[in-house]
Amino acid sequence: MNNEIRMKDLFVIGFALFAMFFGAGNLIFPPYLGLISGSQWWIGFLGFTITDAGLGLLAIIALSKYDGNLNVLASRVNKAFAIIISTAIILCIGPFLATPRTAATTYEIAIMPIFGESVNRYLFSVFFFIIACLLSIRPSKVVDIVGKFLTPSLIICMAVLIVNGILNPIGEIANTTMIDNILEKGIADGYQTMDAIAGCMFALVVINAVKTRKYSSQTLEIKATIYSGIIAAICLAFIYGGLVYLGAQTSSLGIYDINTDNTQLLVDITNIVLGGVGVYILAIITALACLTTAIGLISAAGNFFNELSKGKVSYEIVVIICSIVSCAISMLGVSQIIKISAPILETLYPCAMTIVLIGLFNDKIKDDLVFKIPSIISLVFGLLYVLKGNGLLGGLNDILAKLPLAVFGLGWVVPTLIGLVIAIVISNFRKPQEA
């Protein structure tokens, strides 16, 4: 048994967590944010990092005391409710949405620019998920494989791009911005990555990896998990800062505007900074970012359903099924799946975040009502905003648009806070439940 936390463990696990979070979306969004922010790029960077890496870290911290299992924490609302919401989240962010998209994105950004259509999309998807499955099949090895081998390669490639861009600037940073309210844009973009909800799933992978280090107490395990999360958040912040800064360097060139395609901007930046080799460096970065995210999501699903079934469904079987389903969906056209899965995820996201944030104070909350009322309100408002986005609420659309923080995509926050206050007041006037 280990009586002290080893720095080597923290960096291996922290690097692995960083790579699981850092997918294609995290690579594409920051440069565009820098482009439209100009000299205020650092404000956009702060907003993006707070709601992306910051909320992801809070999810890891909140779940560290509960073996990374959202089910355990959400059961304070209702056990059946906890199972339903956790299962829906893991399916949407896993085999039904995010995981298939990793293969499709790798093909479009890493394969097509180099090989064109000479590489068959369907055969590539099969190859991609065979690799992801093989690297995920051993739960005790997932974090070591990602943290020791894949992440360092990813970080080196990112460093080559960012350092070259700093030493040889693309252009001067414009003194003006293309939009108003840069902070709002950064916050909204970071929130929309939904990395906080990914943190709810990755927490299980991280904590299981910590357990394999055989620390002598749960306190050490919790500390190691939190410290690893902090390392991952710091790595994300450095990479985001570099990418936003590179994007800001394109703001005065006069060839890009607010309608510039995010992916094309990233491709152009890479080619300008690195020349002819840029397309290959970008291909490696994209492939590693997407592969590590796929491994994290597949492993998270394996751990989740293994624990949910209390070991009756093996981790390995779930990993194989998730890989097959993800592969099939990536072939059928991810855009159609997004139309179904994304609204479900957007509905559940406020509720999951509410449970996580209240869960930070779980030990001090004796009455389950303090979990129930805010969680239900956030779920209802999550659904209302999805319906609003599809124009299905008529006159309610304007009311929802005027709620505080709605411009950030956080219109559900104030109603949820009011519900929390009401729940606390009610709980103080009745006999507290046993925690």
Side-chain angles (χ1 to χ4, degrees):
M1 301 295 285
N2 295 310
N3 297 315
E4 293 183 356
I5 296 175
R6 295 175 298 190
M7 289 301 296
K8 178 184 176 183
D9 291 344
L10 296 183
F11 277 99
V12 169
I13 297 171
F15 281 177
L17 182 58
F18 154 76
M20 291 177 194
F21 274 123
F22 191 76
N26 309 72
L27 182 62
I28 293 169
F29 292 146
Y32 178 78
L33 183 59
L35 166 67
I36 62 176
S37 300
S39 60
Q40 295 186 34
W41 66 269
W42 60 274
I43 297 177
F45 153 70
L46 284 177
F48 185 87
T49 303
I50 288 169
T51 49
D52 179 273
L55 289 180
L57 176 59
L58 286 181
I60 298 293
I61 292 173
L63 294 174
S64 62
K65 296 181 180 179
Y66 310 99
D67 286 339
N69 197 329
L70 183 61
N71 264 342
V72 177
L73 192 55
S75 64
R76 293 204 63 178
V77 179
N78 178 273
K79 289 185 177 179
F81 172 90
I83 292 173
I84 291 171
I85 192 171
S86 299
T87 302
I89 288 170
I90 196 70
L91 288 176
C92 286
I93 205 169
F96 289 169
L97 176 59
T99 314
R101 199 163 55 187
T102 57
T105 303
T106 303
Y107 182 80
E108 292 172 10
I109 299 180
I111 303 301
M112 284 283 289
I114 298 175
F115 301 102
E117 295 184 0
S118 61
V119 175
N120 184 276
R121 177 186 293 269
Y122 304 135
L123 289 178
F124 174 78
S125 289
V126 172
F127 174 76
F128 182 93
F129 282 109
I130 286 175
I131 297 298
C133 181
L134 291 174
L135 295 179
S136 306
I137 202 74
R138 295 283 299 277
S140 61
K141 298 294 183 182
V142 169
V143 168
D144 283 342
I145 290 170
V146 176
K148 288 182 179 179
F149 304 108
L150 298 182
T151 306
S153 302
L154 174 59
I155 290 176
I156 289 170
C157 290
M158 289 302 308
V160 168
L161 172 62
I162 292 171
V163 172
N164 269 278
I166 293 173
L167 296 177
N168 302 289
I170 297 170
E172 293 185 2
I173 297 175
N175 290 323
T176 57
T177 65
M178 295 184 186
I179 63 168
D180 297 324
N181 305 317
I182 297 299
L183 180 62
E184 292 178 4
K185 174 63 175 173
I187 288 174
D189 281 0
Y191 174 78
Q192 291 300 324
T193 65
M194 295 195 178
D195 269 352
I197 210 168
C200 294
M201 301 297 108
F202 292 152
L204 195 56
V205 179
V206 171
I207 288 171
N208 284 341
V210 170
K211 287 182 180 296
T212 65
R213 270 57 182 182
K214 300 190 182 302
Y215 287 114
S216 58
S217 68
Q218 186 182 29
T219 300
L220 285 176
E221 290 178 351
I222 292 172
K223 285 183 178 180
T225 301
I226 294 173
Y227 293 157
S228 298
I230 291 172
I231 289 173
I234 291 172
C235 288
L236 286 169
F238 273 113
I239 298 299
Y240 293 154
L243 290 174
V244 173
Y245 182 67
L246 293 188
Q249 292 178 359
T250 68
S251 58
S252 64
L253 297 182
I255 57 176
Y256 301 110
D257 58 29
I258 196 169
N259 297 313
T260 297
D261 180 73
N262 294 36
T263 302
Q264 188 58 52
L265 178 63
L266 175 65
V267 172
D268 289 351
I269 287 173
T270 308
N271 288 335
I272 294 170
V273 172
L274 299 177
V277 75
V279 66
Y280 300 102
I281 296 293
L282 180 59
I284 294 170
I285 290 172
T286 303
L288 287 171
C290 290
L291 181 60
T292 52
T293 298
I295 292 169
L297 291 171
I298 291 170
S299 183
N303 282 303
F304 174 81
F305 286 109
N306 177 251
E307 292 204 5
L308 184 65
S309 67
K310 297 183 178 179
K312 293 179 182 177
V313 179
S314 73
Y315 168 90
E316 291 79 9
I317 290 297
V318 178
V319 164
I320 292 170
I321 292 173
C322 281
S323 299
I324 293 172
V325 171
S326 297
C327 182
I329 290 176
S330 71
M331 293 180 184
L332 293 173
V334 180
S335 60
Q336 295 302 314
I337 301 302
I338 290 175
K339 292 180 181 178
I340 300 172
S341 298
I344 297 173
L345 199 56
E346 289 167 9
T347 300
L348 299 176
Y349 190 50
C351 182
M353 284 311 306
T354 298
I355 293 170
V356 164
L357 293 175
I358 297 177
L360 291 169
F361 310 97
N362 186 51
D363 293 343
K364 300 181 183 298
I365 298 173
K366 304 302 179 184
D367 193 342
D368 288 348
L369 190 71
V370 177
F371 272 87
K372 290 178 180 178
I373 291 179
S375 298
I376 291 171
I377 289 175
S378 62
L379 182 63
V380 170
F381 273 85
L383 176 60
L384 288 175
Y385 274 100
V386 168
L387 294 176
K388 172 186 174 296
N390 289 279
L392 301 176
L393 292 181
L396 273 178
N397 286 342
D398 292 336
I399 296 174
L400 290 172
K402 292 177 181 178
L403 285 178
L405 304 178
V407 68
F408 296 100
L410 298 168
W412 56 272
V413 170
V414 170
T416 301
L417 286 175
I418 293 172
L420 176 62
V421 172
I422 292 172
I424 292 172
V425 171
I426 294 174
S427 68
N428 284 334
F429 282 94
R430 69 178 192 169
K431 183 180 179 180
Q433 301 174 1
E434 293 296 325

